[in-house]
Amino acid sequence: MAIDLEAQRNWGLQTRMVRGATTRSEFCETNEAIFMTSGYVYESAEEAEQSFNGEKDRFVYSRFRNPTVEMFEKRLTLIEGAEDCRATASGMAAVFASLACQLKAGDRLVASRALFGSCQYICAELLPRFGIKVDFVDGRDIERWREALSRPATAVFVESPSNPGLEVIDLKAVCALARKAGAVVVVDNVFATPVLQKPLEFGADVVVYSATKHIDGQGRCLGGAVLGTKTFITEKLTPFLRHTGPSLSPFNAWVLLKGLETLDLRVARHCENALKIAHALEERPEIKRLLYPGLTSHPQHTLAMAQMSAGGSVVAFEVAGGKAGAFRFLNNLKLIDISNNLGDAKSLICHPATTTHQRLTPEARAEVGITDSFVRLSVGLENVEDLTADIAQALRA
Ligand SMILES: *Cc1c(COP(=O)(O)O)cnc(C)c1O
């Protein structure tokens, strides 16, 4: 059944999340179908030929396109307000594809220094191997961006807020500078989610997600997505994905579609709980350097609140006693699980210096504020009094 995607753009956000891009098979099922198929059959050899030479628009192979995956891509397109989207097998596949599809030897990438461990690996180690020059800047300092983007650049990559240090990038200002330098701006919007922040509205060109985080939000599967203009998706990204193959499984696409239906509700509760926990932590003498974008004490609170409609689900802080103190705190938690995932219904905590950012040198970690005392708490959907009580007992222990 054909759908009018342009008409659906006028639906309210919640309607787009629940119903956007839903197609139904001949069986008229209520729920989105899982098209668990790698390939498709043709009526004739002629039809196969036309499908490959572009005369006929249809599904030919699930590495290229799949009906369930396409529902996810189109629904996310509607939610983000983008022109187009491609889904990937994981968030890292999305990050890598968004950069590798447009960069070549001799090009220059400018990235903020505070990045998720694997994003940092791609920018600092992998891309330079292919002759791409990468310059890192302190993403919070607009003068550093002005300096770095006073020369031509091909692309800019930022995370805002960053994982795990919750640094905020002035997206509007950086996008304006990038435009003058001729650079395509890619924003990793995982921490903000499409509910809280719309990078395209600030001038970004490409938005990437790890759908593993809030979009699934229930710890079930990996997934990712890249959104941008029709031209970028069609000309740069799609050929890269078709021929390198980091395709999302139709089953995972279906799980993520279910996740999108409740994303708005879940993110609102995540943020409500996180703010309450951040306020409770403000009262604790054992906590040092508490970071939450929704608190006025966050060094970039005003900017964060100008770009995001709430503070997000992650609270970061330092506990007294260095690594031993942080480990003692984590080990004494009874309800909150130690895990490196985030955006889950279950509250999860991790020690970035020894897990997600273990690969960095102590100096590189220090530059982005990841000390041995630093912990990252992804606040879940549990009863918030139970969470604050768990944190309080673990701090006392
Ligand atoms: C988790 C994460 C990724 C990677 O996503 P995966 O789905 O785990 O591959 C990328 N960027 C940020 C900011 C993340 O938090």
Side-chain angles (χ1 to χ4, degrees):
M1 211 191 298
I3 51 162
D4 186 349
L5 214 59
E6 289 315 306
Q8 294 187 2
R9 286 185 189 271
N10 298 320
W11 284 351
L13 175 69
Q14 294 74 16
T15 312
R16 279 175 272 145
M17 288 183 153
V18 175
R19 291 181 175 271
T22 301
T23 52
R24 294 201 163 107
S25 79
E26 63 191 293
F27 302 114
C28 307
E29 63 282 353
T30 313
N31 188 20
E32 294 78 359
I34 307 175
F35 289 92
M36 207 68 206
T37 181
S38 47
Y40 308 85
V41 297
Y42 309 94
E43 292 287 341
S44 64
E46 287 76 11
E47 195 196 0
E49 181 184 29
Q50 289 159 359
S51 306
F52 271 79
N53 71 16
E55 269 174 49
K56 185 155 187 168
D57 181 31
R58 53 157 288 170
F59 294 98
V60 297
Y61 193 49
S62 286
R63 171 148 50 77
F64 305 168
R65 276 172 77 195
N66 170 280
T68 312
V69 174
E70 204 159 279
M71 272 192 262
F72 172 65
E73 293 169 338
K74 289 188 170 157
R75 188 173 295 176
L76 198 56
T77 301
L78 290 171
I79 293 167
E80 191 69 36
E83 286 182 17
D84 209 351
C85 170
R86 284 292 171 274
T88 55
S90 70
M92 284 324 303
V95 170
F96 181 62
S98 72
L99 295 171
C101 79
Q102 56 168 324
L103 293 168
K104 60 179 187 317
D107 284 350
R108 179 167 171 262
L109 169 71
V110 182
S112 52
R113 188 170 287 125
L115 297 177
F116 174 60
S118 298
C119 297
Q120 202 272 345
Y121 171 81
I122 286 176
C123 294
E125 297 188 29
L126 194 58
L127 294 175
R129 271 206 240 152
F130 297 92
I132 294 148
K133 167 123 184 63
V134 183
D135 290 324
F136 288 100
V137 297
D138 180 335
R140 297 162 299 185
D141 186 345
I142 198 64
E143 286 316 312
R144 299 286 85 76
W145 284 109
R146 208 183 301 283
E147 240 167 59
L149 294 172
S150 62
R151 287 168 290 136
T154 317
V156 164
F157 180 73
V158 301
E159 272 175 32
S160 184
S162 67
N163 180 358
L166 301 171
E167 290 185 9
V168 179
I169 310 286
D170 186 335
L171 294 174
K172 206 188 253 176
V174 171
C175 291
L177 292 168
R179 187 139 315 220
K180 279 195 232 152
V184 171
V185 180
V186 180
V187 177
D188 180 331
N189 205 37
V190 169
F191 268 46
T193 81
V195 177
L196 304 180
Q197 174 171 279
K198 292 281 198 308
L200 299 179
E201 290 176 4
F202 301 110
D205 302 287
V206 178
V207 180
V208 298
Y209 287 106
S210 162
T212 317
K213 312 294 167 58
H214 307 80
I215 293 177
D216 170 27
Q218 290 149 86
R220 299 167 295 193
C221 69
L222 298 175
V226 183
L227 298 111
T229 62
K230 268 225 146 41
T231 312
F232 178 83
I233 300 290
T234 312
E235 291 175 13
K236 306 264 190 210
L237 186 68
T238 302
F240 181 89
L241 294 178
R242 281 173 78 119
H243 303 297
T244 59
S247 324
L248 181 65
S249 155
F251 181 79
N252 290 0
W254 177 82
V255 172
L256 299 173
L257 274 166
K258 298 294 99 187
L260 287 179
E261 290 181 358
T262 58
L263 182 65
D264 182 53
L265 287 172
R266 287 184 291 105
V267 168
R269 179 61 66 83
H270 277 296
C271 294
E272 209 178 286
N273 281 358
L275 183 62
K276 283 184 188 157
I277 287 177
H279 278 307
L281 290 172
E282 270 182 324
E283 310 292 318
R284 305 289 317 195
E286 305 93 332
I287 300 292
K288 301 181 293 172
R289 209 166 71 89
L290 172 64
L291 288 170
Y292 182 65
L295 287 183
T296 52
S297 60
H298 187 286
Q300 296 169 287
H301 171 71
T302 311
L303 174 62
M305 291 303 100
Q307 295 184 165
M308 292 162 49
S309 54
S313 59
V314 175
V315 181
F317 50 93
E318 291 188 350
V319 285
K323 179 181 165 184
F327 274 30
R328 200 174 325 117
F329 171 62
L330 261 59
N331 291 338
N332 278 306
L333 289 164
K334 294 191 165 77
L335 189 62
I336 299 170
D337 292 307
I338 301 170
S339 173
N340 46 279
N341 198 4
L342 62 92
D344 197 281
K346 297 182 173 67
S347 292
L348 306 174
I349 196 160
C350 83
H351 184 249
T354 53
T355 58
T356 53
H357 291 68
Q358 186 192 131
R359 218 179 36 81
L360 269 62
T361 62
E363 296 72 38
R365 280 198 294 270
E367 273 185 338
V368 291
I370 305 174
T371 64
D372 285 348
S373 313
F374 186 85
V375 300
R376 183 194 77 190
L377 171 65
S378 167
V379 179
L381 304 178
E382 302 95 333
N383 178 290
V384 73
E385 276 81 36
D386 290 345
L387 296 173
T388 43
D390 191 32
I391 293 167
Q393 69 77 26
L395 286 172
R396 273 194 307 270

